[in-house]
Amino acid sequence: NAAINKMAGGEASLTLNAANAININAPITSNNFTLNLNLNGATANVAATTMVPGTQQGTINLNFGTLNLGSTATTLANGASLGFAIATGLCLSVGHFGFGAVFATLSAFLDTLDGMVARLTGVSSDAGEVLDATVDRYAEFLFLGGLAFYYREIPVLLVITLFALMGSFMVSYSSAKAEAMNVSPPKGAMRRPERAVYLTLGALFSPITIPLFEVVRPYGIAIGHPMVMAIAMVALLSNVSAIERMWAIAKAIRVREL
């Protein structure tokens, strides 16, 4: 559990031997030349806070069945993405559409960066995908939840926002359900990136239209017409897509059971 850091010297190797499992819960890094890590055991579990190797890259030689790698960089990216998603929800809840769009863009960028880093460093895993999907769901809820709070005094807009939230979650659920049932996820509109683009653009353009078209505010707050149009589009198309997806999944399962 203690950290190991190679501070000097040329290329070196570190060998860990165990009769059963090798659990690495602290960083193993190199600040000077290459460090090669040799693991000899039944299994190895490398904690998400560990970098193997570190600054100077080396090799990992496996003399066992499986190796589970985590990544500090991807964990931090997920955490930062969630933090910006929280900031997005807070901004939208008080009608700061422009700031909400900026924070939503940063959150989406970090979410994309996380996946790229995981693939490039070879630490992508099922556990990482679960974490990514969880952060995505929270980010989407925070965005639409903030809008629902902002439009809470306008019943029509509140209902539309809640339908957008429901449709968004159902599209994602249909894909997850298809994978759980060993059915190819059906293609369709309004996947997560598409929804994020529409909603972010709606928030981005609202500060431009508000001073032009909302001088008089009958509801006491700025509506943000681009935001409303984006929400309505997501509410309609995501629910239609979710129904089509679930129908396709059910059909595929029935065909398989014949």
Side-chain angles (χ1 to χ4, degrees):
N1 293 317
I4 299 174
N5 184 23
K6 178 179 177 295
M7 300 294 295
E11 181 175 346
S13 296
L14 171 66
T15 300
L16 302 177
N17 298 306
N20 296 308
I22 298 175
N23 296 300
I24 301 175
N25 299 309
I28 298 178
T29 58
S30 172
N31 293 326
N32 191 276
F33 288 95
T34 298
L35 175 63
N36 300 310
L37 180 62
N38 301 304
L39 306 179
N40 302 308
T43 61
N45 298 291
V46 182
T49 56
T50 302
M51 297 185 296
V52 184
T55 306
Q56 297 292 331
Q57 295 298 310
T59 61
I60 301 175
N61 299 316
L62 311 179
N63 295 308
F64 49 81
T66 60
L67 170 66
N68 299 316
L69 283 175
S71 171
T72 301
T74 57
T75 302
L76 290 176
N78 272 312
S81 177
L82 182 59
F84 282 121
I86 293 172
T88 300
L90 291 174
C91 287
L92 294 175
S93 69
V94 293
H96 293 315
F97 298 110
F99 285 114
V102 171
F103 287 131
T105 301
L106 291 173
S107 177
F109 171 75
L110 288 171
D111 181 50
T112 303
L113 180 65
D114 164 68
M116 292 176 58
V117 170
R119 287 188 294 272
L120 290 173
T121 57
V123 298
S124 58
S125 63
D126 291 340
E129 290 184 9
V130 171
L131 179 60
D132 287 343
T134 302
V135 172
D136 286 346
R137 298 293 78 72
Y138 275 112
E140 197 154 25
F141 172 80
L142 288 165
F143 192 108
L144 291 168
L147 289 173
F149 181 84
Y150 180 68
Y151 292 130
R152 66 190 182 278
E153 300 296 335
I154 309 175
V156 173
L157 298 184
L158 175 59
V159 169
I160 292 174
T161 304
L162 293 177
F163 265 93
L165 181 61
M166 179 176 66
S168 298
F169 276 39
M170 286 304 298
V171 168
S172 298
Y173 171 77
S174 66
S175 296
K177 191 65 175 178
E179 293 176 359
M181 299 299 293
N182 293 319
V183 176
S184 298
K187 296 180 180 180
M190 285 295 151
R191 297 180 68 88
R192 161 70 174 157
E194 188 178 352
R195 298 192 303 268
V197 169
Y198 290 143
L199 291 173
T200 303
L201 287 177
L204 181 64
F205 286 112
S206 288
I208 300 174
T209 63
I210 288 172
L212 296 176
F213 303 108
E214 297 187 52
V215 178
V216 178
R217 301 176 182 178
Y219 297 102
I221 61 172
I223 300 299
H225 295 106
M227 187 76 264
V228 172
M229 289 191 303
I231 298 170
M233 182 182 300
V234 171
L236 175 62
L237 297 181
S238 63
N239 280 286
V240 171
S241 179
I243 293 172
E244 290 177 342
R245 286 165 176 269
M246 295 305 292
W247 178 266
I249 293 168
K251 183 178 179 180
I253 293 173
R254 283 196 299 267
V255 170
R256 187 178 63 188
E257 291 176 345
L258 292 178

